[in-house]
Short mmCIF file of all heavy atoms in Angstrom, two decimals:
data_model
loop_
_atom_site.label_atom_id
_atom_site.label_comp_id
_atom_site.label_asym_id
_atom_site.label_seq_id
_atom_site.Cartn_x
_atom_site.Cartn_y
_atom_site.Cartn_z
N SER D 38 -0.86 32.53 -11.94
CA SER D 38 -0.31 32.00 -13.19
C SER D 38 -1.27 32.15 -14.34
O SER D 38 -0.88 32.55 -15.45
CB SER D 38 0.04 30.52 -13.00
OG SER D 38 0.30 29.93 -14.24
N SER D 39 -2.55 31.84 -14.13
CA SER D 39 -3.49 31.94 -15.25
C SER D 39 -3.74 33.39 -15.64
O SER D 39 -3.89 33.71 -16.82
CB SER D 39 -4.80 31.20 -14.95
OG SER D 39 -5.42 31.73 -13.81
N ARG D 43 -2.99 35.22 -19.35
CA ARG D 43 -3.87 36.08 -20.13
C ARG D 43 -3.24 37.44 -20.41
O ARG D 43 -3.59 38.11 -21.37
CB ARG D 43 -5.20 36.25 -19.41
CG ARG D 43 -6.15 35.06 -19.62
CD ARG D 43 -7.54 35.35 -19.08
NE ARG D 43 -7.53 35.40 -17.63
CZ ARG D 43 -7.74 34.34 -16.84
NH1 ARG D 43 -7.98 33.15 -17.36
NH2 ARG D 43 -7.71 34.46 -15.53
N ARG D 47 3.59 33.72 -20.84
CA ARG D 47 3.18 32.36 -21.19
C ARG D 47 3.33 31.38 -20.03
O ARG D 47 2.46 30.55 -19.78
CB ARG D 47 4.04 31.90 -22.36
CG ARG D 47 3.55 30.71 -23.07
CD ARG D 47 4.32 30.56 -24.37
NE ARG D 47 3.82 29.43 -25.10
CZ ARG D 47 4.32 28.20 -24.97
NH1 ARG D 47 5.32 27.97 -24.17
NH2 ARG D 47 3.80 27.20 -25.67
N ASN D 48 4.46 31.41 -19.36
CA ASN D 48 4.70 30.47 -18.26
C ASN D 48 5.38 31.17 -17.11
O ASN D 48 6.51 31.64 -17.22
CB ASN D 48 5.58 29.31 -18.72
CG ASN D 48 5.90 28.37 -17.56
OD1 ASN D 48 5.02 28.08 -16.75
ND2 ASN D 48 7.12 27.91 -17.47
N HIS D 50 5.40 29.56 -14.04
CA HIS D 50 5.59 28.48 -13.08
C HIS D 50 7.04 27.99 -13.10
O HIS D 50 7.55 27.61 -14.15
CB HIS D 50 4.65 27.31 -13.40
CG HIS D 50 4.86 26.11 -12.54
ND1 HIS D 50 4.70 24.83 -13.01
CD2 HIS D 50 5.23 25.98 -11.24
CE1 HIS D 50 4.95 23.97 -12.03
NE2 HIS D 50 5.27 24.65 -10.96
N ASP D 195 0.86 24.54 -2.71
CA ASP D 195 1.04 23.14 -3.09
C ASP D 195 1.15 22.94 -4.60
O ASP D 195 1.73 21.95 -5.07
CB ASP D 195 -0.13 22.29 -2.57
CG ASP D 195 0.01 22.02 -1.09
OD1 ASP D 195 1.02 22.45 -0.50
OD2 ASP D 195 -0.88 21.37 -0.53
N ASP D 196 0.59 23.85 -5.39
CA ASP D 196 0.71 23.74 -6.84
C ASP D 196 2.12 24.00 -7.34
O ASP D 196 2.47 23.61 -8.45
CB ASP D 196 -0.23 24.77 -7.52
CG ASP D 196 -1.64 24.23 -7.73
OD1 ASP D 196 -1.87 23.04 -7.46
OD2 ASP D 196 -2.50 25.00 -8.18
N VAL D 199 5.29 30.42 -8.35
CA VAL D 199 5.07 31.27 -9.51
C VAL D 199 5.82 32.58 -9.31
O VAL D 199 5.89 33.09 -8.20
CB VAL D 199 3.55 31.53 -9.67
CG1 VAL D 199 3.27 32.75 -10.54
CG2 VAL D 199 2.86 30.30 -10.22
N SER D 223 -21.16 27.59 -7.37
CA SER D 223 -21.03 26.58 -8.42
C SER D 223 -20.44 25.29 -7.87
O SER D 223 -20.86 24.19 -8.20
CB SER D 223 -20.16 27.12 -9.55
OG SER D 223 -20.84 28.13 -10.26
N LYS D 224 -19.45 25.44 -7.02
CA LYS D 224 -18.81 24.25 -6.46
C LYS D 224 -19.82 23.40 -5.68
O LYS D 224 -19.83 22.17 -5.80
CB LYS D 224 -17.65 24.66 -5.56
CG LYS D 224 -16.80 23.48 -5.14
CD LYS D 224 -15.59 23.89 -4.33
CE LYS D 224 -14.90 22.65 -3.78
NZ LYS D 224 -13.78 22.98 -2.91
N LEU D 227 -22.02 21.62 -8.21
CA LEU D 227 -21.31 20.55 -8.93
C LEU D 227 -21.11 19.34 -8.02
O LEU D 227 -21.25 18.19 -8.46
CB LEU D 227 -19.94 21.07 -9.42
CG LEU D 227 -20.00 22.16 -10.49
CD1 LEU D 227 -18.59 22.66 -10.80
CD2 LEU D 227 -20.68 21.68 -11.77
N MET D 228 -20.84 19.59 -6.77
CA MET D 228 -20.66 18.48 -5.83
C MET D 228 -21.96 17.69 -5.66
O MET D 228 -21.93 16.50 -5.37
CB MET D 228 -20.18 19.04 -4.48
CG MET D 228 -19.80 17.98 -3.47
SD MET D 228 -18.44 16.91 -4.05
CE MET D 228 -17.03 17.83 -3.40
N GLY D 230 -23.86 17.06 -8.06
CA GLY D 230 -24.15 16.41 -9.34
C GLY D 230 -24.72 17.37 -10.38
O GLY D 230 -25.26 16.94 -11.39
N GLY D 231 -24.56 18.68 -10.14
CA GLY D 231 -25.08 19.67 -11.07
C GLY D 231 -24.40 19.63 -12.43
O GLY D 231 -23.31 19.07 -12.58
N LYS D 234 -22.23 22.58 -17.67
CA LYS D 234 -22.55 23.68 -18.59
C LYS D 234 -23.35 24.78 -17.89
O LYS D 234 -23.26 25.94 -18.25
CB LYS D 234 -23.33 23.15 -19.79
CG LYS D 234 -22.53 22.20 -20.66
CD LYS D 234 -23.38 21.64 -21.79
CE LYS D 234 -22.81 20.31 -22.24
NZ LYS D 234 -23.65 19.60 -23.23
N TYR D 237 -20.47 25.96 -14.56
CA TYR D 237 -19.05 26.33 -14.65
C TYR D 237 -18.63 26.48 -16.08
O TYR D 237 -18.49 25.48 -16.77
CB TYR D 237 -18.15 25.32 -13.94
CG TYR D 237 -16.72 25.76 -13.93
CD1 TYR D 237 -16.31 26.83 -13.14
CD2 TYR D 237 -15.77 25.12 -14.73
CE1 TYR D 237 -14.99 27.25 -13.14
CE2 TYR D 237 -14.45 25.54 -14.72
CZ TYR D 237 -14.06 26.60 -13.93
OH TYR D 237 -12.77 27.02 -13.93
N GLU F 86 -9.17 30.41 -22.02
CA GLU F 86 -9.83 29.26 -21.40
C GLU F 86 -11.33 29.45 -21.19
O GLU F 86 -12.05 28.48 -21.06
CB GLU F 86 -9.14 28.88 -20.09
CG GLU F 86 -9.44 29.79 -18.90
CD GLU F 86 -8.81 29.28 -17.63
OE1 GLU F 86 -8.95 28.08 -17.32
OE2 GLU F 86 -8.17 30.07 -16.95
N GLU F 91 -17.40 25.15 -24.37
CA GLU F 91 -17.92 23.88 -24.89
C GLU F 91 -17.06 23.28 -25.99
O GLU F 91 -17.23 22.13 -26.37
CB GLU F 91 -19.36 24.05 -25.37
CG GLU F 91 -20.35 24.15 -24.22
CD GLU F 91 -20.05 23.11 -23.13
OE1 GLU F 91 -20.06 21.91 -23.46
OE2 GLU F 91 -19.79 23.50 -21.98
N ARG F 96 -13.54 19.06 -21.05
CA ARG F 96 -14.87 19.07 -20.45
C ARG F 96 -15.67 17.86 -20.92
O ARG F 96 -16.38 17.23 -20.13
CB ARG F 96 -15.62 20.34 -20.83
CG ARG F 96 -15.00 21.62 -20.26
CD ARG F 96 -15.68 22.87 -20.79
NE ARG F 96 -17.03 23.03 -20.30
CZ ARG F 96 -17.37 23.74 -19.22
NH1 ARG F 96 -16.43 24.36 -18.51
NH2 ARG F 96 -18.62 23.84 -18.84
N TYR F 100 -18.21 14.76 -19.25
CA TYR F 100 -19.65 14.65 -19.50
C TYR F 100 -20.11 13.20 -19.52
O TYR F 100 -21.27 12.90 -19.30
CB TYR F 100 -20.03 15.32 -20.83
CG TYR F 100 -19.91 16.82 -20.82
CD1 TYR F 100 -19.83 17.54 -22.00
CD2 TYR F 100 -19.88 17.54 -19.63
CE1 TYR F 100 -19.72 18.93 -22.00
CE2 TYR F 100 -19.76 18.92 -19.62
CZ TYR F 100 -19.69 19.60 -20.81
OH TYR F 100 -19.58 20.97 -20.80
N GLU F 123 -9.97 22.62 -9.54
CA GLU F 123 -10.95 22.29 -8.50
C GLU F 123 -12.37 22.11 -9.04
O GLU F 123 -13.07 21.16 -8.70
CB GLU F 123 -10.96 23.41 -7.46
CG GLU F 123 -11.92 23.18 -6.31
CD GLU F 123 -12.23 24.46 -5.56
OE1 GLU F 123 -12.04 25.55 -6.13
OE2 GLU F 123 -12.63 24.37 -4.39
N MET F 124 -12.81 23.04 -9.92
CA MET F 124 -14.21 23.00 -10.34
C MET F 124 -14.49 21.76 -11.19
O MET F 124 -15.51 21.09 -11.02
CB MET F 124 -14.56 24.27 -11.11
CG MET F 124 -14.39 25.54 -10.29
SD MET F 124 -15.45 25.65 -8.82
CE MET F 124 -16.96 26.29 -9.57
N TYR F 128 -17.00 18.60 -10.24
CA TYR F 128 -18.05 18.08 -11.13
C TYR F 128 -17.89 16.57 -11.32
O TYR F 128 -18.86 15.81 -11.24
CB TYR F 128 -17.98 18.80 -12.47
CG TYR F 128 -18.87 18.20 -13.53
CD1 TYR F 128 -20.25 18.32 -13.47
CD2 TYR F 128 -18.31 17.52 -14.60
CE1 TYR F 128 -21.07 17.76 -14.45
CE2 TYR F 128 -19.11 16.96 -15.58
CZ TYR F 128 -20.49 17.08 -15.51
OH TYR F 128 -21.29 16.53 -16.48
N LYS F 132 -20.52 13.61 -10.12
CA LYS F 132 -21.14 12.63 -11.03
C LYS F 132 -20.80 11.19 -10.66
O LYS F 132 -21.24 10.26 -11.32
CB LYS F 132 -20.67 12.90 -12.46
CG LYS F 132 -21.28 14.15 -13.08
CD LYS F 132 -22.79 13.97 -13.30
CE LYS F 132 -23.42 15.19 -13.94
NZ LYS F 132 -24.90 15.11 -13.93
N ASP F 145 -4.39 23.68 -9.14
CA ASP F 145 -5.39 24.20 -8.21
C ASP F 145 -5.56 23.24 -7.03
O ASP F 145 -6.62 23.13 -6.44
CB ASP F 145 -6.73 24.33 -8.99
CG ASP F 145 -7.69 25.31 -8.33
OD1 ASP F 145 -7.28 26.05 -7.42
OD2 ASP F 145 -8.86 25.31 -8.73
N PHE F 146 -4.48 22.59 -6.64
CA PHE F 146 -4.56 21.57 -5.61
C PHE F 146 -4.89 22.13 -4.23
O PHE F 146 -5.59 21.46 -3.46
CB PHE F 146 -3.26 20.76 -5.58
CG PHE F 146 -3.41 19.45 -4.90
CD1 PHE F 146 -4.15 18.44 -5.51
CD2 PHE F 146 -2.86 19.20 -3.66
CE1 PHE F 146 -4.31 17.20 -4.89
CE2 PHE F 146 -3.02 17.99 -3.02
CZ PHE F 146 -3.75 16.98 -3.65
N ARG F 150 -7.77 19.82 -2.67
CA ARG F 150 -7.26 18.76 -1.82
C ARG F 150 -8.29 18.12 -0.91
O ARG F 150 -8.06 17.03 -0.37
CB ARG F 150 -6.07 19.24 -1.01
CG ARG F 150 -6.38 20.34 -0.02
CD ARG F 150 -5.07 20.90 0.57
NE ARG F 150 -4.21 19.81 0.98
CZ ARG F 150 -2.90 19.93 1.20
NH1 ARG F 150 -2.31 21.08 1.03
NH2 ARG F 150 -2.19 18.90 1.60
N LEU F 152 -11.22 17.14 -1.89
CA LEU F 152 -12.04 16.20 -2.65
C LEU F 152 -11.66 14.76 -2.30
O LEU F 152 -10.57 14.50 -1.80
CB LEU F 152 -11.88 16.45 -4.15
CG LEU F 152 -12.42 17.80 -4.63
CD1 LEU F 152 -12.03 18.05 -6.08
CD2 LEU F 152 -13.94 17.84 -4.47
N THR F 162 0.93 21.67 -10.92
CA THR F 162 1.38 22.94 -11.48
C THR F 162 0.26 23.95 -11.28
O THR F 162 -0.91 23.57 -11.25
CB THR F 162 1.69 22.81 -12.99
OG1 THR F 162 2.01 24.12 -13.50
CG2 THR F 162 0.50 22.28 -13.78
N PRO F 163 0.60 25.22 -11.14
CA PRO F 163 -0.46 26.24 -11.11
C PRO F 163 -0.97 26.60 -12.51
O PRO F 163 -2.00 27.26 -12.61
CB PRO F 163 0.24 27.45 -10.47
CG PRO F 163 1.69 27.24 -10.72
CD PRO F 163 1.92 25.76 -10.81
N ASN F 164 -0.28 26.17 -13.55
CA ASN F 164 -0.70 26.53 -14.92
C ASN F 164 -1.97 25.80 -15.34
O ASN F 164 -2.18 24.65 -14.95
CB ASN F 164 0.40 26.19 -15.92
CG ASN F 164 1.62 27.08 -15.77
OD1 ASN F 164 1.58 28.08 -15.06
ND2 ASN F 164 2.70 26.71 -16.43
N GLN F 168 -1.99 26.10 -21.12
CA GLN F 168 -1.19 27.31 -20.97
C GLN F 168 0.12 27.28 -21.74
O GLN F 168 0.56 28.30 -22.25
CB GLN F 168 -0.93 27.55 -19.48
CG GLN F 168 -0.37 28.94 -19.19
CD GLN F 168 -0.48 29.32 -17.74
OE1 GLN F 168 -1.38 28.89 -17.03
NE2 GLN F 168 0.43 30.12 -17.28
N THR F 169 0.73 26.13 -21.86
CA THR F 169 2.03 26.12 -22.55
C THR F 169 2.02 25.30 -23.85
O THR F 169 1.81 25.86 -24.92
CB THR F 169 3.16 25.66 -21.60
OG1 THR F 169 2.84 24.38 -21.09
CG2 THR F 169 3.32 26.64 -20.44
N ASN F 170 2.23 23.99 -23.79
CA ASN F 170 2.55 23.25 -25.02
C ASN F 170 1.51 22.27 -25.52
O ASN F 170 1.70 21.69 -26.59
CB ASN F 170 3.86 22.48 -24.80
CG ASN F 170 5.02 23.40 -24.56
OD1 ASN F 170 5.21 24.37 -25.28
ND2 ASN F 170 5.82 23.10 -23.55
#
Side-chain angles (χ1 to χ4, degrees):
Chain D
S38 168
S39 59
R43 280 189 290 270
R47 195 167 182 270
N48 177 41
H50 175 214
D195 283 358
D196 273 354
V199 161
S223 290
K224 189 176 172 184
L227 294 175
M228 187 60 91
K234 294 177 205 174
Y237 185 70
Chain F
E86 76 176 312
E91 285 316 302
R96 295 174 69 93
Y100 291 161
E123 181 198 22
M124 299 298 276
Y128 171 71
K132 288 293 181 190
D145 201 12
F146 199 70
R150 64 189 314 162
L152 294 171
T162 175
N164 291 349
Q168 192 164 330
T169 57
N170 297 313

